[in-house]
Coordinates of all heavy atoms in Angstrom, one line a residue:
Chain Y
A5 N 282.0 -29.4 2.0 CA 282.5 -30.1 0.8 C 282.4 -31.6 0.9 O 282.0 -32.3 0.0 CB 284.0 -29.7 0.6
L63 N 284.4 -77.0 12.4 CA 285.3 -76.2 11.6 C 286.5 -75.6 12.3 O 287.6 -75.7 11.9 CB 284.4 -75.0 11.0 CG 285.2 -74.0 10.2 CD1 285.6 -74.6 8.9 CD2 284.3 -72.7 10.0
V75 N 302.1 -77.0 9.6 CA 303.4 -76.3 9.7 C 304.6 -77.3 9.6 O 305.5 -77.1 8.8 CB 303.5 -75.5 11.1 CG1 304.9 -75.0 11.3 CG2 302.5 -74.4 11.0
G78 N 304.8 -78.6 6.0 CA 305.4 -77.6 5.1 C 306.9 -77.5 5.3 O 307.6 -77.5 4.3
Q81 N 308.8 -80.4 3.9 CA 308.9 -80.4 2.5 C 309.8 -79.3 2.0 O 310.6 -79.5 1.0 CB 307.5 -80.2 1.8 CG 306.7 -81.4 1.9 CD 305.3 -81.2 1.3 OE1 305.2 -81.2 0.1 NE2 304.3 -80.9 2.1
W87 N 314.3 -88.1 4.4 CA 313.3 -89.0 5.1 C 312.2 -88.3 5.8 O 311.3 -88.9 6.3 CB 314.1 -89.9 6.1 CG 315.0 -89.2 7.0 CD1 314.6 -88.7 8.2 CD2 316.4 -88.9 6.9 NE1 315.7 -88.1 8.8 CE2 316.8 -88.2 8.0 CE3 317.3 -89.1 5.9 CZ2 318.1 -87.8 8.2 CZ3 318.6 -88.7 6.0 CH2 319.0 -88.0 7.2
T94 N 304.3 -87.3 0.2 CA 303.4 -88.4 -0.1 C 302.1 -88.2 0.6 O 301.0 -88.3 0.0 CB 304.0 -89.8 0.4 OG1 305.3 -89.8 0.0 CG2 303.2 -90.9 -0.1
F95 N 302.1 -87.8 1.9 CA 300.9 -87.5 2.7 C 300.1 -86.5 2.0 O 298.9 -86.7 1.7 CB 301.3 -87.1 4.1 CG 300.1 -86.7 4.9 CD1 299.3 -87.6 5.5 CD2 299.7 -85.3 5.0 CE1 298.2 -87.2 6.3 CE2 298.6 -84.9 5.8 CZ 297.9 -85.9 6.4
R135 N 283.4 -95.2 19.6 CA 282.2 -95.7 19.0 C 281.3 -94.6 18.5 O 280.3 -94.8 17.9 CB 281.4 -96.6 20.0 CG 280.9 -95.8 21.2 CD 280.2 -96.8 22.2 NE 279.2 -97.6 21.5 CZ 278.2 -98.2 22.2 NH1 278.1 -98.1 23.5 NH2 277.4 -98.9 21.6
Y152 N 296.1 -80.0 2.5 CA 296.0 -78.8 1.6 C 296.9 -77.7 2.1 O 297.6 -77.1 1.4 CB 294.6 -78.4 1.5 CG 293.8 -79.2 0.5 CD1 293.0 -80.3 1.0 CD2 293.8 -79.0 -0.8 CE1 292.2 -81.1 0.2 CE2 293.0 -79.8 -1.7 CZ 292.3 -80.8 -1.2 OH 291.5 -81.6 -2.0
R158 N 304.5 -75.2 2.5 CA 305.7 -75.5 1.9 C 306.2 -74.3 1.0 O 307.3 -73.8 1.1 CB 305.6 -76.7 1.0 CG 306.8 -77.1 0.2 CD 306.6 -78.1 -0.8 NE 305.7 -77.6 -1.9 CZ 306.1 -76.8 -2.9 NH1 307.4 -76.5 -3.0 NH2 305.3 -76.4 -3.8
E170 N 319.7 -65.6 6.8 CA 321.2 -65.4 7.0 C 321.5 -64.2 7.9 O 322.4 -64.3 8.8 CB 321.9 -65.1 5.6 CG 322.1 -66.4 4.9 CD 322.3 -66.2 3.4 OE1 322.4 -65.0 3.0 OE2 322.3 -67.2 2.6
W180 N 316.2 -72.4 16.5 CA 314.8 -72.4 17.0 C 314.3 -71.0 17.0 O 313.2 -70.7 16.7 CB 314.8 -73.1 18.4 CG 313.5 -72.9 19.1 CD1 313.3 -72.2 20.3 CD2 312.2 -73.3 18.7 NE1 312.0 -72.2 20.6 CE2 311.3 -72.8 19.6 CE3 311.7 -73.9 17.5 CZ2 309.9 -73.0 19.6 CZ3 310.3 -74.1 17.4 CH2 309.4 -73.7 18.4
K181 N 315.2 -70.1 17.5 CA 314.8 -68.7 17.5 C 314.6 -68.1 16.2 O 313.7 -67.3 16.0 CB 315.9 -67.9 18.3 CG 315.4 -66.6 19.0 CD 316.5 -66.0 19.7 CE 316.1 -65.8 21.2 NZ 317.2 -65.2 22.0
R194 N 302.6 -64.9 4.6 CA 302.5 -65.2 3.2 C 301.3 -66.1 2.9 O 300.7 -66.1 1.9 CB 303.8 -65.9 2.7 CG 304.9 -64.9 2.4 CD 306.2 -65.6 2.3 NE 307.3 -64.6 2.1 CZ 307.6 -64.1 1.0 NH1 306.9 -64.5 -0.1 NH2 308.5 -63.2 0.9
V204 N 287.2 -71.3 4.3 CA 285.9 -71.3 3.7 C 285.6 -72.6 3.0 O 284.5 -73.2 3.2 CB 285.8 -70.1 2.7 CG1 284.5 -70.2 1.9 CG2 285.8 -68.8 3.4
I245 N 272.5 -69.7 5.7 CA 273.3 -69.9 6.9 C 274.7 -70.0 6.6 O 275.6 -69.4 7.1 CB 272.8 -71.1 7.7 CG1 271.4 -70.8 8.3 CG2 273.8 -71.5 8.8 CD1 270.7 -72.0 9.0
S258 N 289.9 -60.8 7.0 CA 290.4 -59.5 6.4 C 290.9 -58.6 7.5 O 291.8 -57.8 7.3 CB 289.3 -58.9 5.5 OG 288.3 -58.3 6.4

Side-chain angles (χ1 to χ4, degrees):
Chain Y
L63 174 72
V75 171
Q81 286 181 78
W87 54 87
T94 313
F95 174 82
R135 68 183 306 200
Y152 283 94
R158 179 192 64 79
E170 281 161 5
W180 168 241
K181 206 175 234 176
R194 282 165 184 277
V204 169
I245 289 170
S258 74

